[in-house]
Amino acid sequence: MTGNHELAGKVVVVTGASAGVGRATARAFAREGASIGLVARDRQRLEAARAEVEALGSRAVVAPADVADPDAVEAAAAAVEAALGPIDVWVNNAMVTILGRFPQVSPDEYKRVTEVTYLGNVNGARAALARMLPRDGGRGRGCIVQVGSALAYRGIPLQAAYCGAKHAIQGFTEALRAELAADGSAVHVTTVSLPAVNTPQFDWARNKMPRRPRPMAPVFQPEMVADAIVWAATARRREVLVGGSTLLTVWGNRFAPGLVTRLLARTAVEGQQTDEPEIPERPDNLWQSVPGEKGARGRFGAESHGASVQLWATRHRPWLAAAALALLTGAVMAAAAGRRPR
């Protein structure tokens, strides 16, 4: 819990809310007193998410939709507002991925990942802005949270479609943010870039590799990144990087991209597979949801981190800066006193 009293009574939409990061994020907003619009394909899991939100004392409405369908997203937004009131925060989180080398991924599969992960984000932003921009005499009011990834800055082997979609979200968000600034809009857009997270996606993502998929270490628990998303909704930051691995990925690729390529070539193919053989004909969620309750966490909890020093430092940056300034001032004064004649 972030203790963010600004969110009490607000209406928040979370896409991909039926499992994983979205499920954890819905609970995290509910703990702050927000009402939650739950958007995903699987109604059964959405109902389970609603029960969790209501158990925390908040209101929730289930709005099933495939985010790749703009009309379905618009209908979901209308249903949320009809039940809960005007949407204050929209979290674009829904995604799908495929693990496999690029030539193994068919054009239709590649298109589907792009439509859900990238265009689903665009569709969500469009539905949110249609409601947020006219407020306050046209100045606008509200926040859109784009759930990004370290892979928006650095593509890795076996996930070309997903990495391409996350790169596209980054470019789209930068353009949108500039347009809003040009119009003087008060609608805020923030990106929360995630590390590898222990979610059920590795049990239902389409996989063309011989062994079962896994997140690339280090791995973090979904509740930790959910708290970062909740904090970002009111922090007015342009972007929040979550986890030291995300920070290293962004800066490493900026200053030594060739070295990062060689490192990934040596480690990332094996690093995204377990030692277990893939299960033949295992169902996946590329075209439709996989039945069954999954919750927020995947099966890699034993190695997953529940906290991040880097994220703590990001959230407490003003205090750290003040402390550093105080230490520097003290050191300068001590040095000056040491040089003073006796």
Side-chain angles (χ1 to χ4, degrees):
M1 188 168 181
T2 64
N4 192 337
H5 302 299
E6 295 180 56
L7 290 167
K10 300 296 186 181
V11 176
V12 179
V13 171
V14 181
T15 71
S18 62
V21 169
R23 183 78 165 259
T25 298
R27 294 196 301 249
F29 274 110
R31 291 187 188 98
E32 305 298 335
S35 299
I36 317 297
L38 303 161
V39 179
R41 293 175 296 180
D42 191 290
R43 178 178 284 275
Q44 181 180 1
R45 284 200 295 272
L46 286 176
E47 292 291 353
R50 175 163 67 176
E52 292 176 348
V53 169
E54 291 175 345
L56 291 166
S58 291
R59 298 184 300 159
V61 62
V62 165
D66 184 335
V67 297
D69 180 349
D71 293 333
V73 175
E74 171 59 30
V80 170
E81 290 212 323
L84 301 178
I87 296 166
D88 299 290
V89 178
W90 186 290
V91 181
N92 280 315
N93 166 72
M95 52 75 67
V96 294
T97 189
I98 299 174
L99 275 85
R101 288 179 169 84
F102 171 65
Q104 296 176 294
V105 180
S106 73
D108 284 344
E109 290 172 328
Y110 204 103
K111 180 180 178 183
R112 176 62 177 169
V113 172
T114 304
E115 288 177 339
V116 174
T117 306
Y118 169 49
L119 293 180
N121 187 293
V122 172
N123 296 335
R126 189 184 303 280
L129 288 172
R131 290 155 176 81
M132 295 176 178
L133 287 176
R135 296 172 184 164
D136 293 348
R139 186 167 182 266
R141 183 180 72 254
C143 177
I144 298 173
V145 181
Q146 310 281 61
V147 178
S149 170
L151 304 188
Y153 293 92
R154 174 70 230 191
I156 63 173
L158 306 186
Q159 293 201 67
Y162 179 77
C163 293
K166 287 297 185 179
H167 274 71
I169 290 170
Q170 189 75 3
F172 162 69
T173 301
E174 289 170 357
L176 176 60
R177 191 181 287 119
E179 286 185 12
L180 293 172
D183 294 338
S185 176
V187 174
H188 182 64
V189 182
T190 185
T191 302
V192 182
S193 295
L194 304 188
V197 186
N198 176 36
T199 70
Q201 70 161 308
F202 301 97
D203 290 331
W204 59 37
R206 182 163 291 191
N207 182 30
K208 296 176 179 290
M209 302 303 292
R211 287 174 282 135
R212 296 184 70 180
R214 57 152 292 137
M216 188 84 175
V219 186
F220 293 86
Q221 293 288 23
E223 291 81 6
M224 187 274 284
V225 300
D227 285 344
I229 291 168
V230 171
W231 178 74
T234 58
R236 305 296 292 185
R237 297 280 183 88
R238 178 181 177 277
E239 181 172 22
V240 177
L241 301 179
V242 181
S245 56
T246 300
L247 186 67
L248 287 172
T249 298
V250 171
W251 287 98
N253 194 61
R254 182 169 297 175
F255 292 107
L259 177 62
V260 175
T261 295
R262 292 192 293 274
L263 179 64
L264 290 171
R266 289 198 302 268
T267 63
V269 173
E270 290 294 314
Q272 294 180 83
Q273 298 180 82
T274 70
D275 295 330
E276 309 160 277
E278 180 56 283
I279 302 169
E281 306 303 321
R282 172 179 62 79
D284 64 65
N285 73 337
L286 185 61
W287 300 101
Q288 60 272 326
S289 61
V290 177
E293 169 61 9
K294 291 291 186 179
R297 294 189 177 190
R299 58 194 183 92
F300 302 95
E303 64 176 277
S304 298
H305 304 283
S308 164
V309 173
Q310 175 274 337
L311 179 60
W312 182 91
T314 295
R315 293 178 61 171
H316 296 86
R317 193 164 62 190
W319 294 102
L320 291 174
L325 180 60
L327 288 172
L328 179 61
T329 302
V332 170
M333 292 176 66
R339 290 194 301 268
R340 189 176 302 139
R342 293 186 180 274

